[in-house]
Amino acid sequence: MKLILPDSKVLKQSLDAIAELITDAEFVVNEYGLSLKAIDPSQIALVVYNLPRDSFEDFKITGQKKLGLNIPSLQQIIRRAKPEDKVILEVGTNKRFNVTLQGTTKRSFSINLLDLSNSELPNPSINYDVFIKVRAPVLADGVKDAALFASYLTLKIDNENIIISTTSTKGELNSETSLTSVEVLDKDIKNEARSIYSIDFLESLLKGATNDTELEIYLKTDAPLKLKYKIQESTIQYFLAPRIEE
Amino acid sequence: MKLILPDSKVLKQSLDAIAELITDAEFVVNEYGLSLKAIDPSQIALVVYNLPRDSFEDFKITGQKKLGLNIPSLQQIIRRAKPEDKVILEVGTNKRFNVTLQGTTKRSFSINLLDLSNSELPNPSINYDVFIKVRAPVLADGVKDAALFASYLTLKIDNENIIISTTSTKGELNSETSLTSVEVLDKDIKNEARSIYSIDFLESLLKGATNDTELEIYLKTDAPLKLKYKIQESTIQYFLAPRIEE
Amino acid sequence: MKLILPDSKVLKQSLDAIAELITDAEFVVNEYGLSLKAIDPSQIALVVYNLPRDSFEDFKITGQKKLGLNIPSLQQIIRRAKPEDKVILEVGTNKRFNVTLQGTTKRSFSINLLDLSNSELPNPSINYDVFIKVRAPVLADGVKDAALFASYLTLKIDNENIIISTTSTKGELNSETSLTSVEVLDKDIKNEARSIYSIDFLESLLKGATNDTELEIYLKTDAPLKLKYKIQESTIQYFLAPRIEE
């Protein structure tokens, strides 16, 4: 296996997002590109990541490779790349993973491949009632607003509004964005839906998004929230478990 | 009561300054605008703040309202405003205070009004011997210089110079600015004056000032220092108790 | 003694570099300028610093003066200078050292001179096998790369490459820069050489270097590393003891 990225940008941003939730995980490399599916240690959020083969300058693989890696270690290495450095990913001898940053200097880093005997991860297939595509701040700002007062928020989307709300002894928040707002880029509302999610997790899930990011939100009452957006040419998807009120 | 500010700038900067000294305080809203008079918990500094009615886009009030508020909570909410957001201040039901940030999204925050049974605050009326108006760094830099060595500094102003000095086992500072300097914008010296003030408090009092701020300084030997400056179109005044040497 | 620098830049940057290693030290002022020779508390690194007489706008000295100073105190004072301030250095009465920052305000700081009864410091005279001059990042990046995995690195230079390497249970680094790279500005290789140095110390030694700094490296197997570069018009040299493998 030998994969060459023309620069480090997409990998740097993607690892910064993934490392928010995941410590050890298995990357899969096959003819379609590089992908990852992992669940956070508390089993509340599932991450599905794909970097397509087209992103690579060179992509040599026979069959499929599973690469168990410590995400923070890989992140630290990729952060050492200069903007103009090519990034070369290889499997070395002795269960080692080699990352070479190739600029005027050739810097080769080598870390251990991990044996991760994953239990098979779920492949959520949910019939969502709500789909909307918005600029990321529509959700991200509401999450930060809610964080002033609480650890959980209620996300409700109906035919007219996106409503983020929370209440505690500290205070109350109610944030309403009309579906006719210019920040709403697309929508498909079958039924209104309403669920409660962890504010900390929502903040982690949105770490890779910028003000311009087009964010796809899939919602169903008391079901996992699905978020999907692009980090450069790669795609990241999250499924976040709801808190069910008793 | 319903007050609308066309943007959040003046309130954001003012609360950042006020929160340096004050935790809970009563705002007063009447036909002249929004004002506050509060003393810090150690009773060393008095803050008097005024945001005139003209600053508001809409200003509905009958009679006078007293609003007991936790300043850091209000500050956190106003910090969530985007530059283009209108800020709407209202009294809600159930002793609540409502702040709405109105942009493409309408975000309503609600916090408790506090019952603050203030003792009447002093209204200092002092015949100052010295008045000068300077660019804020003339005082602010001297305060930071003095902070290298001590917790109190001596401020002396005579017919020729503004002198900031301090001494400790760590070292000695003597800072002199001539009253003919371009940084001195106005002056009226009846008699020279000299007092000792807390460096920490002076740093807090100057938090709302920038390099361009025109700072009015009123000084009298062993009397409270009066500082006055504008934060956008609002006015903030401080009275800082001197340390009297025995 | 009275020395006047036209601005604070060179002194600010130099003290930031020196303070990385040295707490108390004796500056020497004589007809050639201002200099310092000091060893760090653990006796692993020797610093030799020279600011030539030409840098000063005014330079009055009779004979030679030794000035025992606490470097962090002096650093704090010089950091208070504004870019356009002149810096005046004088010996005051009562074993005091006076620093005056002269701008629109005249700020005089005074600290104690220290009695440092130095033992005579070594004057290393080593026949180096390798001399190269490179842009500072060639070494600085390798040091930061190695810091991901270990506390010591191996620096090896032969006729073809500059090689920085380290290995630990965390991972392995191998960084190679060809001597034909544009980052290599000069070289004189008598024999290849290879030694082990502390990564923490190397990071401290490079604190005063920027991306454009031309860094002279002198290497000999199991001998102190000599690094030399300019901070503005002043010169700083370091000798760093190797770790000898048993």
Side-chain angles (χ1 to χ4, degrees):
Chain A
M1 184 198 101
K2 182 171 186 176
L3 315 182
I4 306 184
L5 280 165
D7 66 61
S8 60
K9 209 170 163 188
V10 62
L11 209 50
K12 208 182 275 193
Q13 290 178 20
S14 302
L15 287 167
D16 285 349
I18 295 167
E20 279 289 311
L21 289 170
I22 307 296
T23 305
D24 292 336
E26 226 171 44
F27 282 92
V28 174
V29 184
N30 59 27
E31 56 182 316
Y32 304 111
L34 180 150
S35 64
L36 170 145
K37 188 172 172 185
I39 200 157
D40 86 286
S42 62
Q43 311 225 337
I44 294 190
L46 177 75
V47 188
V48 182
Y49 175 78
N50 282 289
L51 178 59
R53 184 182 181 138
D54 288 356
S55 299
F56 294 84
E57 187 180 294
D58 197 6
F59 195 92
K60 286 203 194 82
I61 180 86
T62 45
Q64 171 170 296
K65 277 270 176 215
K66 292 193 174 188
L67 310 168
L69 286 163
N70 178 263
I71 305 292
S73 297
L74 186 57
Q75 183 189 23
Q76 277 190 316
I77 293 170
I78 299 297
R79 282 184 172 175
R80 293 292 311 137
K82 304 192 179 191
E84 69 278 9
D85 282 349
K86 279 185 203 298
V87 178
I88 306 165
L89 307 175
E90 287 167 298
V91 175
T93 50
N94 271 330
K95 300 210 160 204
R96 304 286 278 179
F97 184 65
N98 298 337
V99 180
T100 303
L101 308 178
Q102 175 78 64
T104 52
T105 294
K106 184 181 166 190
R107 300 138 79 196
S108 298
F109 300 80
S110 172
I111 52 176
N112 286 326
L113 283 170
L114 311 175
D115 256 327
L116 304 172
S117 50
N118 282 25
S119 51
E120 196 59 38
L121 287 172
N123 216 342
S125 139
I126 299 163
N127 264 327
Y128 284 104
D129 286 321
V130 167
F131 159 75
I132 56 169
K133 190 197 270 187
V134 297
R135 297 272 168 217
V138 169
L139 183 58
D141 281 329
V143 171
K144 283 186 205 137
D145 291 345
L148 294 188
F149 300 135
S151 338
Y152 288 86
L153 60 75
T154 303
L155 176 62
K156 179 183 166 189
I157 303 175
D158 60 24
N159 278 306
E160 293 184 356
N161 288 302
I162 304 157
I163 299 166
I164 295 165
S165 60
T166 198
T167 185
S168 79
T169 53
K170 288 194 203 162
E172 236 180 278
L173 168 77
N174 193 73
S175 161
E176 280 187 29
T177 307
S178 162
L179 291 187
T180 62
S181 156
V182 293
E183 306 289 300
V184 178
L185 309 168
D186 198 1
K187 59 183 167 179
D188 178 12
I189 317 287
K190 289 180 193 123
N191 287 296
E192 74 163 55
R194 178 190 177 288
S195 280
I196 298 172
Y197 301 104
S198 152
I199 290 173
D200 272 0
F201 271 91
L202 285 168
E203 290 188 326
S204 294
L205 268 48
L206 291 163
K207 215 65 173 206
T210 67
N211 283 351
D212 290 329
T213 298
E214 300 187 355
L215 176 68
E216 297 182 17
I217 302 177
Y218 299 80
L219 188 66
K220 186 184 168 80
T221 297
D222 292 344
L225 175 69
K226 175 176 167 186
L227 295 182
K228 183 174 172 180
Y229 58 91
K230 293 224 161 255
I231 296 178
Q232 305 290 333
E233 68 272 26
S234 70
T235 308
I236 198 156
Q237 282 182 74
Y238 296 98
F239 294 86
L240 177 64
R243 196 184 70 169
I244 309 293
E245 286 172 309
E246 298 169 36
Chain B
M1 185 197 99
K2 183 170 185 177
L3 316 182
I4 306 183
L5 280 165
D7 66 60
S8 60
K9 208 169 163 189
V10 62
L11 210 51
K12 207 181 274 193
Q13 291 178 19
S14 301
L15 288 167
D16 285 349
I18 295 166
E20 279 289 312
L21 289 171
I22 308 297
T23 306
D24 291 336
E26 226 171 44
F27 282 92
V28 174
V29 183
N30 59 26
E31 54 183 317
Y32 304 111
L34 181 149
S35 64
L36 170 144
K37 189 171 171 185
I39 200 157
D40 84 287
S42 63
Q43 311 225 336
I44 294 190
L46 177 76
V47 188
V48 182
Y49 175 77
N50 282 289
L51 177 59
R53 185 180 181 140
D54 288 357
S55 298
F56 294 84
E57 187 180 293
D58 197 6
F59 196 92
K60 287 203 194 83
I61 181 88
T62 45
Q64 171 171 295
K65 277 269 176 215
K66 292 194 174 187
L67 309 168
L69 286 164
N70 178 262
I71 306 292
S73 297
L74 186 57
Q75 183 189 24
Q76 278 190 316
I77 293 170
I78 299 298
R79 282 185 172 174
R80 293 293 310 137
K82 305 194 178 191
E84 69 279 8
D85 281 351
K86 279 186 203 297
V87 178
I88 306 166
L89 307 175
E90 286 166 299
V91 175
T93 50
N94 272 329
K95 299 210 161 203
R96 304 285 278 177
F97 183 66
N98 298 337
V99 180
T100 303
L101 308 177
Q102 174 77 63
T104 53
T105 294
K106 183 180 166 193
R107 301 137 79 197
S108 297
F109 301 80
S110 171
I111 53 176
N112 285 326
L113 283 170
L114 310 175
D115 255 325
L116 303 172
S117 51
N118 282 24
S119 52
E120 197 58 39
L121 287 172
N123 216 341
S125 140
I126 299 164
N127 265 326
Y128 283 104
D129 287 320
V130 168
F131 160 74
I132 56 171
K133 189 196 272 187
V134 297
R135 297 271 169 219
V138 169
L139 183 58
D141 280 330
V143 170
K144 283 186 205 137
D145 292 345
L148 294 187
F149 300 135
S151 339
Y152 287 87
L153 59 74
T154 302
L155 176 62
K156 179 182 165 191
I157 303 176
D158 59 24
N159 279 304
E160 294 184 353
N161 288 301
I162 304 157
I163 300 167
I164 295 165
S165 60
T166 198
T167 185
S168 79
T169 53
K170 287 194 203 160
E172 236 180 279
L173 168 76
N174 193 73
S175 160
E176 280 186 31
T177 307
S178 163
L179 291 188
T180 61
S181 156
V182 293
E183 306 289 300
V184 178
L185 308 168
D186 198 359
K187 59 183 167 178
D188 178 12
I189 317 287
K190 291 181 193 121
N191 286 296
E192 73 165 56
R194 177 190 178 287
S195 282
I196 298 172
Y197 301 104
S198 151
I199 289 172
D200 273 1
F201 272 92
L202 285 168
E203 290 190 325
S204 293
L205 268 48
L206 292 164
K207 215 67 174 204
T210 68
N211 283 351
D212 290 329
T213 298
E214 300 187 356
L215 176 68
E216 297 182 17
I217 302 178
Y218 299 81
L219 187 66
K220 185 184 167 81
T221 298
D222 291 344
L225 175 69
K226 176 176 167 185
L227 295 182
K228 183 174 172 179
Y229 58 89
K230 294 223 161 255
I231 296 178
Q232 306 289 333
E233 67 274 23
S234 70
T235 307
I236 199 157
Q237 283 182 74
Y238 296 98
F239 293 87
L240 177 63
R243 195 184 70 170
I244 310 293
E245 285 172 309
E246 300 167 34
Chain C
M1 186 198 98
K2 182 171 185 175
L3 315 182
I4 305 184
L5 280 165
D7 66 60
S8 60
K9 209 169 163 191
V10 61
L11 210 50
K12 208 182 272 192
Q13 290 179 19
S14 301
L15 287 167
D16 285 350
I18 295 167
E20 280 289 311
L21 289 170
I22 308 296
T23 306
D24 291 336
E26 225 170 46
F27 282 93
V28 174
V29 182
N30 59 27
E31 55 182 317
Y32 304 112
L34 180 150
S35 64
L36 170 144
K37 189 172 172 184
I39 200 157
D40 84 288
S42 63
Q43 310 226 338
I44 295 190
L46 177 76
V47 187
V48 182
Y49 175 77
N50 282 288
L51 178 58
R53 183 178 183 143
D54 289 357
S55 298
F56 294 84
E57 186 180 295
D58 196 6
F59 195 92
K60 287 204 193 82
I61 180 87
T62 44
Q64 172 170 296
K65 277 268 176 214
K66 292 193 173 185
L67 309 168
L69 286 163
N70 178 262
I71 305 292
S73 297
L74 186 58
Q75 183 189 23
Q76 277 190 317
I77 293 171
I78 299 298
R79 281 184 173 176
R80 293 293 310 138
K82 305 193 177 191
E84 69 279 8
D85 283 349
K86 279 185 202 298
V87 179
I88 306 166
L89 307 175
E90 287 167 298
V91 175
T93 50
N94 272 330
K95 299 210 161 203
R96 303 286 278 178
F97 184 65
N98 298 338
V99 180
T100 303
L101 308 178
Q102 174 78 65
T104 53
T105 294
K106 183 180 166 191
R107 300 138 79 197
S108 297
F109 301 80
S110 171
I111 53 175
N112 285 326
L113 284 169
L114 311 174
D115 256 325
L116 305 171
S117 50
N118 280 27
S119 52
E120 196 59 39
L121 287 171
N123 216 341
S125 140
I126 298 164
N127 265 327
Y128 283 103
D129 287 321
V130 166
F131 159 75
I132 56 169
K133 190 196 271 187
V134 297
R135 297 272 168 217
V138 169
L139 183 59
D141 281 329
V143 170
K144 282 186 206 137
D145 292 345
L148 294 188
F149 300 135
S151 338
Y152 288 87
L153 59 74
T154 303
L155 176 62
K156 180 183 164 189
I157 303 175
D158 59 24
N159 279 305
E160 294 183 355
N161 287 302
I162 304 158
I163 299 166
I164 296 165
S165 60
T166 198
T167 184
S168 79
T169 53
K170 288 194 203 162
E172 236 181 279
L173 167 77
N174 193 73
S175 160
E176 280 187 29
T177 307
S178 163
L179 291 188
T180 62
S181 156
V182 292
E183 304 290 299
V184 178
L185 308 168
D186 198 1
K187 59 183 167 178
D188 177 12
I189 317 287
K190 291 183 190 118
N191 287 295
E192 73 165 57
R194 179 190 177 287
S195 281
I196 298 172
Y197 301 104
S198 151
I199 289 171
D200 272 1
F201 271 92
L202 284 167
E203 289 189 327
S204 294
L205 268 49
L206 291 164
K207 215 67 175 203
T210 68
N211 283 351
D212 290 331
T213 298
E214 300 187 355
L215 176 68
E216 297 181 16
I217 302 177
Y218 298 82
L219 187 66
K220 186 185 169 81
T221 298
D222 292 344
L225 175 69
K226 176 176 166 186
L227 294 182
K228 183 174 172 180
Y229 58 90
K230 294 223 161 254
I231 296 178
Q232 307 289 332
E233 68 272 25
S234 70
T235 307
I236 198 156
Q237 282 182 74
Y238 296 98
F239 294 86
L240 176 64
R243 195 184 70 169
I244 309 293
E245 286 173 308
E246 298 171 34

